[in-house]
Amino acid sequence: MSVQERKQRERAERERLIVATARQLAEEQGWDAVTTRRLAERIEYSQPVLYSHFRGKREIIGAVALEGAAELAAELRAASAGAAVLAEGVRGRVAALARAYLDFAERNPAVYDAMFQLDGGLVFAAEETPEALKDGFAALLETLKDVAGEGVEAGLLTEVFWASLHGLVTLSRAGRLPVGDAERRVRLLVSRLAVV
């Protein structure tokens, strides 16, 4: 391995460590606790080393969001595939998508905030949208295109489904919806959406 390759590998490892540490700190104490000083202390690197990877907290939030989007896409695809293997039909696959999305948000609140609530400097719904974000949307679209129905644009239906799930996450986390009705909400959403 050349010196250049070793340096690139070490740089990538430091970057992964910074992102993982920021994510852990945010999940434990919230995003307000994520500062370059605290990150430098936790990973035992100087603040200038952090700044050589990320210009600031905004870029770190963006990196966490991209990592989370990739994880969410994988979980959504696994949920849909699992429902397909169990021969649950399109309705079952859509319900599995909804449950996987809601479960991901519940298990990873700080990552979810990085993805959809905080400014990570990422562009959504545009040509320059990062691939990880596009893939997260595609993971929903792959199943929902099967329920779009005649005359309904699958992308638009996916946006409405995603917005519904995001609303459920946001309102539930804020204590605005009664606890314990998550499964009933999923069944209602799917019954109105998946008419096939």
Side-chain angles (χ1 to χ4, degrees):
M1 175 184 302
S2 73
V3 172
Q4 180 65 24
E5 289 172 331
R6 181 181 53 79
K7 285 183 179 182
Q8 287 175 343
R9 189 187 76 233
E10 288 171 354
R11 180 173 175 75
E13 287 173 7
R14 272 193 314 271
E15 194 166 298
R16 280 191 296 275
L17 179 61
I18 293 166
V19 171
T21 304
R23 182 175 174 166
Q24 180 183 19
L25 186 56
E27 292 293 0
E28 290 171 358
Q29 300 176 31
W31 278 104
D32 287 343
V34 179
T35 64
T36 55
R37 189 181 110 272
R38 274 190 155 163
L39 286 173
E41 288 171 2
R42 280 212 177 181
I43 65 173
E44 299 177 346
Y45 282 107
S46 67
Q47 284 180 297
V49 169
L50 266 72
Y51 285 117
S52 73
H53 290 274
F54 300 99
R55 286 182 283 192
K57 183 175 177 177
R58 181 179 188 223
E59 284 189 4
I60 294 170
I61 289 169
V64 169
L66 292 175
E67 187 176 89
E71 291 171 12
L72 177 59
E75 288 187 26
L76 292 172
R77 286 191 175 99
S80 182
V85 167
L86 296 174
E88 294 182 6
V90 176
R91 231 180 246 254
R93 288 176 45 221
V94 174
L97 277 183
R99 286 185 201 101
Y101 186 99
L102 297 172
D103 290 347
F104 178 88
E106 185 176 338
R107 281 192 329 276
N108 305 284
V111 173
Y112 191 85
D113 285 348
M115 293 167 63
F116 302 119
Q117 304 288 76
L118 301 174
D119 179 9
L122 303 174
V123 177
F124 283 80
E127 205 165 300
E128 62 271 17
T129 298
E131 287 304 314
L133 298 179
K134 289 179 182 178
D135 191 47
F137 186 79
L140 292 170
L141 179 63
E142 289 162 8
T143 296
L144 293 172
K145 68 182 181 196
D146 295 336
V147 299
E150 191 175 322
V152 176
E153 184 183 331
L156 191 60
L157 178 66
T158 303
E159 291 171 357
V160 171
F161 183 71
W162 174 28
S164 298
L165 294 175
H166 179 70
L168 289 173
V169 168
T170 303
L171 293 170
S172 294
R173 285 174 62 185
R176 303 292 196 264
L177 296 176
V179 178
D181 287 333
E183 184 58 31
R184 288 180 53 213
R185 290 184 193 102
V186 166
R187 283 196 310 264
L188 179 61
L189 178 61
V190 171
S191 72
R192 297 297 177 226
L193 179 76
V195 294
V196 293

